[in-house]
C-alpha cells in the first residue's frame, strides 16, 4: 500500500516515526512518503519537506508568512495527486492538515487523522467539517473520545498516548548525557525546555536564563531544538556561567534532571512522564496572546493539567512569566519541598490514565492498515 503522512512539528516527527515503524511491521511492502523530519525519514519514509519549513507560530507570524503557507499547500496537493496514495495520514498540525483533509475528500482520497486537533480548546466549529472529510479519527487523550461522542455524536478511536512508549523506551536505554560543558557531579541539573521554534525560544529562553543567576549551586542545561544552529544558542547563553545545552538529548537530559522549566506543549507531558517536577512557561507575541486569550476556551494550557483536570503543575503565562515568579516557583519544587512530593503522586496518576489506552503507535498502525484494506 502507498501511504502519505504529513506532520508539521518536531513532536509530529517523533510520533510519525514510531507510526511508520509499526506500519512497516503490519504492511511489509508499505511505500511511505512524508512531510516531517529526520526521525520519519530514518524510520523508512521518503521525506518530501522538512517541518522546519512549515512551523509558523501565532496569528501575527502566520499572517506574515501567508504566501509561504499557500505555496506549501499548493505543492503538497500536487505531490499527493502525483503519487495518489491509498491513504492520507495527517498528524496533528491542524492549520495546514485540515485544509489538506478537506481537499483530499473532494479528490476521493481516504483520510485518517492521527492526534486530533485540540478543538475542545478553541475553534469547535471545525468539528462539523472534520466529520465530513475525515474517514477515521485516532485520538490520544483519554477525554477526547467522550468529548467527540457526547458533544458531536462522532465515534472516534482512542489509541492511547504515544509518549508513554517513547519515554519507557528511553528509560530502558538510559543514554549518557553529553552537554556542551562538563557536568559538575556536585551540582544537580535543572533542565530548560524553551521550545523548538526560533520565535518562541527568543521570547522564553532569556527569561529562563535569568533564573539561573539565583541558583548558582545548580547546573542549568538547555534542550536545543534540532533544527537550529549552535551559534543561535551560544549568543544567548554566553553571559551565564552555569548554563550549557545539549543537542538531540532531551530525554537523556530529563532522566538526569532534578527540576525543569518547560514551555507549554508536548514537552510538559514528556517532563511529567519522566517524573521531573516542572514549572510551565508561556510567553508569545503580545498581539497573538491577546487574540488567543479571547478565543481559547480551556482552564489550563499544559497537557498535564488538562488530562488531570486540576492544577498539578504551575503555569506562568505571558506577563506572569518573569524571572522573579519563575525563581519563586522553581524554589517550591526543589528537593525537600511538600509540593514536590505531591507532584510525584499526581504524576503517578497521570501515567496510569495514559497507560490505560495501550500501545498507541501499534494500535494506530493496525487501525490504519485495517481501514485501507477494507
Amino acid at each position: 500500500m502507498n501511504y502519505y503522512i504529513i506532520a508539521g512539528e518536531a513532536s509530529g516527527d517523533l510520533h510519525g516515526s514510531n507510526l511508520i515503524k509499526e506500519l512497516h511491521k503490519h504492511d511489509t511492502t508499505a511505500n511511505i512518503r512524508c512531510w516531517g523530519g529526520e526521525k520519519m525519514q530514518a524510520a523508512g519514509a521518503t521525506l518530501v519537506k522538512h517541518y522546519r519549513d512549515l512551523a509558523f507560530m501565532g496569528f501575527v507570524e502566520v499572517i506574515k508568512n501567508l504566501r509561504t503557507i499557500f505555496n506549501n499547500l499548493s505543492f503538497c496537493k500536487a505531490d499527493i495527486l502525483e503519487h495518489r496514495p491509498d491513504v492520507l495520514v495527517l498528524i496533528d498540525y491542524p492549520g495546514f492538515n485540515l485544509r489538506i483533509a478537506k481537499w483530499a475528500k473532494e479528490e476521493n482520497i481516504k483520510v485518517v487523522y492521527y492526534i486530533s486537533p485540540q478543538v475542545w480548546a478553541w475553534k469547535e466549529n471545525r468539528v462539523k467539517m472534520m466529520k465530513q472529510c475525515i474517514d477515521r479519527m485516532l485520538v490520544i487523550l483519554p477525554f477526547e473520545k467522550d468529548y467527540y461522542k457526547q458533544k458531536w455524536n462522532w465515534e472516534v478511536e482512542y489509541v492511547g498516548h504515544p509518549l508513554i512508549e517513547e519515554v519507557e523506551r528511553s528509560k530502558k536505554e538510559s543514554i549518557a548525557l553529553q552537554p556542551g560543558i562538563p557536568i559538575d557531579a556536585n551540582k544537580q541539573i535543572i533542565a530548560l525546555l524553551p521550545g523548538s521554534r526560533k520565535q518562541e525560544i527568543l521570547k522564553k529562553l532569556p527569561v529562563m536564563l535569568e533564573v539561573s543567576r539565583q541558583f548558582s549551586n545548580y547546573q542549568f542545561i538547555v534542550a536545543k531544538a534540532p533544527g537550529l544552529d549552535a551559534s543561535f544558542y551560544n549568543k544567548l547563553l554566553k553571559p551565564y556561567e552555569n548554563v550549557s545545552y545539549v543537542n538531540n538529548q532531551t530525554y537523556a537530559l530529563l532522566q538526569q534532571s532534578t527540576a525543569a522549566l518547560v514551555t507549554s506543549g508536548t514537552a510538559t507531558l514528556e517532563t511529567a512522564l519522566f517524573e521531573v517536577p516542572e514549572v510551565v512557561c508561556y510567553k508569545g507575541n503580545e498581539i497573538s496572546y491577546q487574540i488567543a486569550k479571547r478565543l481559547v476556551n480551556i482552564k489550563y494550557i499544559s497537557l498535564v493539567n488538562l488530562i488531570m483536570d486540576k492544577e498539578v503543575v504551575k503555569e506562568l503565562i505571558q506577563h506572569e512569566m518573569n524571572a522573579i515568579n519563575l525563581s519563586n516557583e522553581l524554589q517550591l519544587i526543589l528537593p525537600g519541598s511538600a509540593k514536590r512530593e505531591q507532584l510525584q503522586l499526581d504524576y503517578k496518576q497521570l501515567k496510569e490514565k495514559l497507560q490505560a489506552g495501550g500501545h498507541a503507535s501499534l494500535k494506530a498502525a493496525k487501525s490504519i492498515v485495517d481501514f485501507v484494506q477494507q
Side-chain angles (χ1 to χ4, degrees):
M1 295 289 179
N2 293 320
Y3 303 82
Y4 200 108
I5 305 176
I6 303 175
E9 298 168 301
S11 60
D13 182 38
L14 172 64
H15 301 323
S17 68
N18 288 325
L19 177 66
I20 288 166
K21 289 171 190 173
E22 293 297 333
L23 283 172
H24 279 303
K25 290 178 187 176
H26 286 84
D27 181 356
T28 53
T29 60
N31 177 46
I32 303 173
R33 196 168 174 83
C34 76
W35 289 41
E38 290 85 357
K39 287 184 172 65
M40 291 172 76
Q41 188 174 32
T46 300
L47 183 64
V48 179
K49 193 172 275 283
H50 199 286
Y51 65 78
R52 75 168 74 92
D53 300 324
L54 308 173
F56 303 110
M57 182 184 176
F59 299 96
V60 175
E61 290 78 9
V62 166
I63 290 168
K64 284 181 182 176
N65 292 282
L66 274 177
R67 177 176 289 183
T68 302
I69 292 166
F70 284 124
N71 286 342
N72 284 335
L73 281 165
S74 297
F75 175 74
C76 185
K77 291 172 184 177
D79 197 58
I80 291 170
L81 284 179
E82 184 180 343
H83 293 87
R84 205 74 202 183
D86 295 292
V87 64
L88 176 63
V89 180
L90 306 172
I91 300 178
D92 200 2
Y93 195 52
F96 188 90
N97 275 339
L98 287 179
R99 286 182 171 87
I100 293 294
K102 187 176 181 181
W103 166 84
K105 189 66 177 176
E106 294 167 358
E107 296 292 332
N108 293 314
I109 296 169
K110 289 183 177 179
V111 177
V112 175
Y113 213 113
Y114 175 44
I115 306 179
S116 166
Q118 295 177 351
V119 287
W120 33 265
W122 75 312
K123 291 192 175 180
E124 277 193 309
N125 58 336
R126 286 173 160 179
V127 180
K128 292 177 183 176
M129 179 272 284
M130 287 163 60
K131 277 185 74 173
Q132 292 173 351
C133 66
I134 295 168
D135 299 299
R136 182 166 293 193
M137 172 71 85
L138 308 177
V139 301
I140 64 169
L141 297 174
F143 60 81
E144 289 178 322
K145 186 174 175 66
D146 288 340
Y147 166 80
Y148 281 115
K149 177 62 179 173
Q150 292 170 8
K151 189 151 190 176
W152 301 98
N153 193 31
W154 188 10
E155 287 288 353
V156 302
E157 186 177 349
Y158 174 51
V159 295
H161 204 294
L163 278 182
I164 289 285
E165 67 213 49
E166 191 63 27
V167 168
E168 290 307 307
R169 185 185 299 118
S170 179
K171 284 180 179 178
K172 287 175 185 175
E173 291 173 355
S174 192
I175 301 167
L177 194 62
Q178 298 177 333
I181 59 171
I183 294 176
D184 185 341
N186 297 315
K187 287 187 176 181
Q188 294 176 310
I189 295 170
I190 294 173
L192 302 181
L193 278 62
S196 59
R197 303 181 184 97
K198 187 176 280 190
Q199 62 260 39
E200 69 175 336
I201 294 168
L202 287 171
K203 284 283 184 185
K204 297 165 197 167
L205 185 54
V207 184
M208 293 177 173
L209 290 171
E210 275 301 300
V211 174
S212 71
R213 297 189 190 278
Q214 309 301 317
F215 297 85
S216 57
N217 53 332
Y218 285 87
Q219 186 168 193
F220 287 70
I221 301 181
V222 180
K224 176 181 171 293
L228 297 175
D229 293 333
S231 59
F232 171 73
Y233 290 90
N234 290 334
K235 188 175 180 181
L236 291 169
L237 270 57
K238 193 175 181 181
Y240 305 92
E241 291 183 6
N242 60 330
V243 185
S244 182
Y245 66 78
V246 290
N247 188 26
N248 289 328
Q249 297 179 76
T250 303
Y251 282 7
L253 172 61
L254 288 172
Q255 280 192 66
Q256 297 184 39
S257 295
T258 296
L261 306 180
V262 186
T263 194
S264 57
T266 306
T268 64
L269 188 53
E270 291 171 311
T271 304
L273 291 174
F274 276 105
E275 299 162 30
V276 180
E278 64 183 304
V279 182
V280 175
C281 313
Y282 175 81
K283 196 179 192 77
N285 175 286
E286 185 62 26
I287 297 171
S288 294
Y289 169 70
Q290 291 298 336
I291 295 170
K293 188 179 176 183
R294 288 156 176 77
L295 295 176
V296 174
N297 184 33
I298 48 174
K299 288 188 284 185
Y300 308 107
I301 62 168
S302 72
L303 284 170
V304 176
N305 293 343
L306 284 166
I307 293 166
M308 293 294 286
D309 197 26
K310 66 175 184 177
E311 188 184 79
V312 172
V313 294
K314 181 65 178 179
E315 300 178 352
L316 294 177
I317 304 170
Q318 202 66 4
H319 306 295
E320 289 185 349
M321 190 205 158
N322 56 57
I324 294 172
N325 288 344
L326 262 182
S327 297
N328 291 340
E329 292 300 331
L330 177 58
Q331 189 67 55
L332 291 175
I333 59 172
L334 291 176
S337 68
K339 185 170 183 180
R340 185 181 178 91
E341 291 177 15
Q342 183 58 49
L343 265 176
Q344 302 294 0
L345 293 173
D346 287 330
Y347 281 172
K348 187 179 178 184
Q349 289 181 17
L350 171 75
K351 190 173 179 180
E352 287 169 356
K353 272 192 172 191
L354 293 176
Q355 280 178 324
H359 190 297
S361 300
L362 187 153
K363 287 175 73 174
K366 189 175 186 305
S367 180
I368 291 165
V369 172
D370 289 347
F371 171 64
V372 175
Q373 292 177 344
Q374 284 176 1

